Amino acid sequence: MTATAQTIATPAVTERRQSGRWLTALLLAPSAVWFFVLLILPLAVVLVYSVGVRAPAGGYQAAFTLDNYLNLPARWAAFKNTLTLAPLGTLICLLAGYPLAYFLAVKSSARWRVMLLILVIVPFWTSFLIRTYAWIFILGGRGIPALLDAMGMGDVRLINTPFSVMCGIVYAYLPLMVFPIYVSLEKLDKRLLEASEDLGAGPFATFRQITLPLSAPGIITGCMLVFILLMGEYLIPQMLGGGKVFFIGNALVDLFLQSLNWPYGSAVAMALVIIMLVTVSLYLRATAATGGRRDASLI
Amino acid sequence: MLRAYSALVYLFLYGPIALIVLFSFNSGLSAADFQGFSLRWYARVAGNSLMLDALRTSLTVAFSSAALATIMGTMAALALQRVKGPVRVIFDGLTYIAIMVPGIVIGIATLIALVTTFDAANAVLAEIWPTDTPPQLHMGYGSIIAAHTLFSMALVVVIVRARIAGMDRSLIEASMDLYADPWATFRQVTLPQLAPAILAGFLLCFTFSFDDFVIAFFVAGPLNTLPIYVFSSIRRGVTPEINAIGTAIMMFSLVMLFGAQLLLRRKSVQGKT
């Protein structure tokens, strides 16, 4: 209620506060149930299953063993691919996205700015599947290779390579990188840039000493958002990697839907969540250090 | 130079989409084979009953999960502005986890938790049911809608709470000073101010659910949603028909997205009652 409710505690006010508490509990109840049944419970089941053993016919059999965790290196290739391609994809998104964010925030005319910004965000909210499919179409047999062939360039293979996976990654996640950097650059006081110039700093020195440090919160947010989503990626390597370039997500689908090894799959899932939690907490510490605020909202 | 680079990035972002749209109207079979404008692939899509079934399933799931998530998320957001301490910390943490944990982990976790629960429940039902044909719990609409609602609800909580934080408190106080009871204040002052955020939340949830592949892939059971259908057709081989479906899906998402954007950018809505 309002602050006045705390100053005078007449019986009527006490009663209202009492009913307010009931109302709050009632309002929170449905979401609390949902969080419990569809988030906490399933994650707890994964945790329990991860120390179990595979039933002979597939699925889970109760046990307590750490073998699944000790066996994680058996899927080393998936972890290695994820832990190299996810940071690399994040880095490429940053390098490709920063100049665009800078252009939008500092150089573009105010008249076009909002329109241009919306144009960056729109692809992020349109069908992920179709946008990834677009690259199968472009890089696959009937796309660029067919065009090259028609031009007499011979047999070129582009799909199902780390290159095609990287195309899909940058294409899918670039908007997510540009937006937070734009937000932090937009807040930058343009007079600082003029002051730096007046004091004789060249464009590069100004960028390194003023623009870059002040946009650090946006860079950190953008990198973390992209990195976190990439860690759990399944569709892009599945569609553009053709079984040759696979992530932890692809290993999980294989373990749960093909080999029906739920306990081992649960251990892999736990490992993925733990790697992400560690990354997120490092990120929180890093943001605290730069004194930045999180600007994660995409809308 | 920066301008030219930015133009290139926009080309990169929209080129592939434009190609899909362009070739959905191609009467030929491949990219190297542009034979002129035709609607034949759209005609083929319109007569594809498997695709239409998947579309119907997706629309049902998206609408139900978005409605549930919007109602429950808004309720939670309203309550959370009034609570402090551990309850709030726990809810913040859960919202954060629901958004952060990868979809694939949510999908898998929900799958094994529900399968385990259903197996146990079906055994009990078979035991206690008076007739020989006890009802069987299985994956389907319920499980997809429930799983989508989880993520969507967290999204609505974040959006509506941001709106509440930016809301003009003085109007609420004025309403109280004018002796409106809390319910009247809520209905005539708070709700109209929150309406754009709530509607935008609904549209974003709808878009998320309509677009989601990875969660539905695990918990859909025998059902096909549109992304699952598209995924399996791509697996069977790239045909121009997929370009037509893709173009239609993108147009639909665009309409939903612009609706959400317009609503979020409107500063306030005049209460008409």
Side-chain angles (χ1 to χ4, degrees):
Chain A
M1 300 279 147
T2 55
T4 47
Q6 277 145 30
T7 48
I8 344 154
T10 62
V13 170
T14 318
E15 192 184 308
R16 194 192 291 175
R17 209 188 294 164
Q18 208 46 263
S19 72
R21 201 163 293 165
W22 275 108
L23 180 63
T24 306
L26 212 65
L27 287 172
L28 285 178
S31 45
V33 169
W34 227 264
F35 276 133
F36 182 76
V37 176
L38 286 142
L39 185 64
I40 300 174
L41 197 68
L43 290 179
V45 169
V46 171
L47 185 63
V48 170
Y49 277 25
S50 73
V51 295
V53 291
R54 181 181 188 271
Y60 165 77
Q61 193 170 310
F64 184 81
T65 166
L66 291 177
D67 284 355
N68 296 318
Y69 287 96
L70 296 173
N71 265 334
L72 285 178
R75 291 279 170 169
W76 172 239
F79 281 94
K80 196 193 75 184
N81 281 339
T82 311
L83 290 172
T84 51
L85 290 178
L88 185 64
T90 311
L91 184 68
I92 296 178
C93 282
L94 174 63
L95 294 178
Y98 196 98
L100 178 63
Y102 184 82
F103 171 75
L104 288 175
V106 182
K107 298 285 180 190
S108 70
S109 70
R111 226 178 103 210
W112 291 100
R113 189 170 300 155
V114 176
M115 193 56 210
L116 287 171
L117 188 66
I118 290 176
L119 278 176
V120 173
I121 300 168
V122 160
F124 184 75
W125 285 100
T126 36
S127 179
F128 191 90
L129 192 60
I130 298 297
R131 281 187 304 133
T132 308
Y133 158 75
W135 286 94
I136 297 187
F137 187 67
I138 293 169
L139 301 175
R142 285 178 182 159
I144 291 178
L147 286 175
L148 290 177
D149 199 33
M151 281 155 52
M153 301 274 284
D155 205 16
V156 185
R157 190 175 170 76
L158 295 170
I159 195 99
N160 300 345
T161 60
F163 169 75
S164 57
V165 173
M166 202 46 83
C167 281
I169 286 174
V170 175
Y171 187 60
Y173 292 113
L174 191 62
L176 202 56
M177 180 66 84
V178 172
F179 191 73
I181 298 178
Y182 165 83
V183 170
S184 67
L185 280 172
E186 203 212 8
K187 279 188 248 162
L188 183 145
D189 190 340
K190 310 290 180 296
R191 285 172 304 180
L192 288 174
L193 302 179
E194 286 160 25
S196 169
E197 203 175 309
D198 289 349
L199 291 167
F204 184 71
T206 305
F207 176 75
R208 201 171 53 82
Q209 291 168 8
I210 302 196
T211 317
L212 197 59
L214 286 175
S215 58
I219 294 175
I220 293 169
T221 305
C223 286
M224 279 305 142
L225 286 174
V226 172
F227 181 74
I228 283 170
L229 284 172
L230 278 181
M231 291 291 292
E233 191 52 60
Y234 164 75
L235 264 183
I236 296 175
Q238 179 66 32
M239 292 171 72
L240 297 171
K244 295 199 180 70
V245 186
F246 47 90
F247 276 31
I248 299 175
N250 306 78
L252 284 173
V253 170
D254 177 48
L255 285 168
F256 278 92
L257 300 185
Q258 306 295 322
S259 49
L260 295 179
N261 194 342
W262 292 8
Y264 185 56
S266 299
V268 174
M270 286 309 296
L272 174 60
V273 171
I274 288 166
I275 293 173
M276 289 185 49
L277 282 180
V278 170
T279 323
V280 171
S281 48
L282 285 177
Y283 148 65
L284 287 175
R285 194 174 298 169
T287 15
T290 54
R293 256 193 61 238
R294 250 184 101 228
D295 296 300
S297 167
L298 261 182
I299 20 152
Chain B
M1 193 169 109
L2 198 57
R3 186 179 291 268
Y5 173 78
S6 302
L8 273 180
V9 176
Y10 282 104
L11 189 67
F12 171 70
L13 285 175
Y14 285 90
I17 294 178
L19 273 181
I20 294 287
V21 176
L22 181 66
F23 281 97
S24 72
F25 295 111
N26 177 19
S27 58
L29 268 167
S30 84
D33 183 27
F34 197 89
Q35 297 186 343
F37 182 86
S38 137
L39 287 174
R40 69 185 262 217
W41 304 113
Y42 286 92
R44 185 149 338 151
V45 170
N48 180 337
S49 65
L50 276 176
M51 202 282 307
L52 293 176
D53 279 347
L55 173 65
R56 209 167 297 128
T57 307
S58 270
L59 288 174
T60 311
V61 168
F63 184 82
S64 318
S65 69
L68 271 172
T70 309
I71 294 168
M72 297 196 302
T74 305
M75 283 165 67
L78 285 169
L80 284 174
Q81 62 161 339
R82 305 148 52 120
V83 293
K84 288 186 180 64
V87 176
R88 185 155 176 172
V89 173
I90 291 171
F91 262 88
D92 283 350
L94 288 172
T95 309
Y96 189 61
I97 293 174
I99 292 176
M100 280 300 177
V101 172
I104 193 150
V105 174
I106 295 280
I108 283 166
T110 313
L111 170 76
I112 61 176
L114 288 182
V115 165
T116 309
T117 315
F118 287 174
D119 281 352
N122 285 335
V124 172
L125 278 174
E127 202 58 43
I128 60 169
W129 207 252
T131 67
D132 279 344
T133 49
Q136 290 266 326
L137 295 174
H138 53 81
M139 309 294 265
Y141 279 107
S143 51
I144 319 182
I145 291 170
H148 279 178
T149 302
L150 176 77
F151 179 85
S152 298
M153 191 177 76
L155 200 64
V156 172
V157 170
V158 171
I159 293 172
V160 176
R161 282 185 70 184
R163 183 77 186 193
I164 291 175
M167 211 165 70
D168 192 353
R169 297 286 308 171
S170 59
L171 285 173
I172 292 175
E173 276 153 33
S175 165
M176 296 292 226
D177 289 348
L178 292 168
Y179 298 105
D181 61 66
W183 171 241
T185 305
F186 173 74
R187 209 167 44 81
Q188 292 170 3
V189 181
T190 315
L191 198 56
Q193 283 198 74
L194 291 183
I198 295 172
L199 267 169
F202 178 87
L203 293 180
L204 289 180
C205 294
F206 192 99
T207 312
F208 156 75
S209 171
F210 192 72
D211 194 31
D212 169 74
F213 167 75
V214 87
I215 297 176
F217 186 48
F218 284 101
V219 299
L223 287 176
N224 266 338
T225 63
L226 193 54
I228 294 178
Y229 175 79
V230 172
F231 180 78
S232 50
S233 352
I234 294 172
R235 218 178 220 183
R236 282 197 300 273
V238 173
T239 69
E241 201 181 332
I242 300 173
N243 292 340
I245 298 178
T247 303
I249 294 176
M250 283 189 295
M251 289 307 136
F252 183 73
S253 308
L254 271 185
V255 171
M256 297 298 282
L257 181 72
F258 272 102
Q261 286 282 347
L262 281 180
L263 288 165
L264 274 181
R265 277 169 208 286
R266 262 164 85 176
K267 286 287 174 237
S268 68
V269 164
Q270 303 295 322
K272 280 189 184 128
T273 41

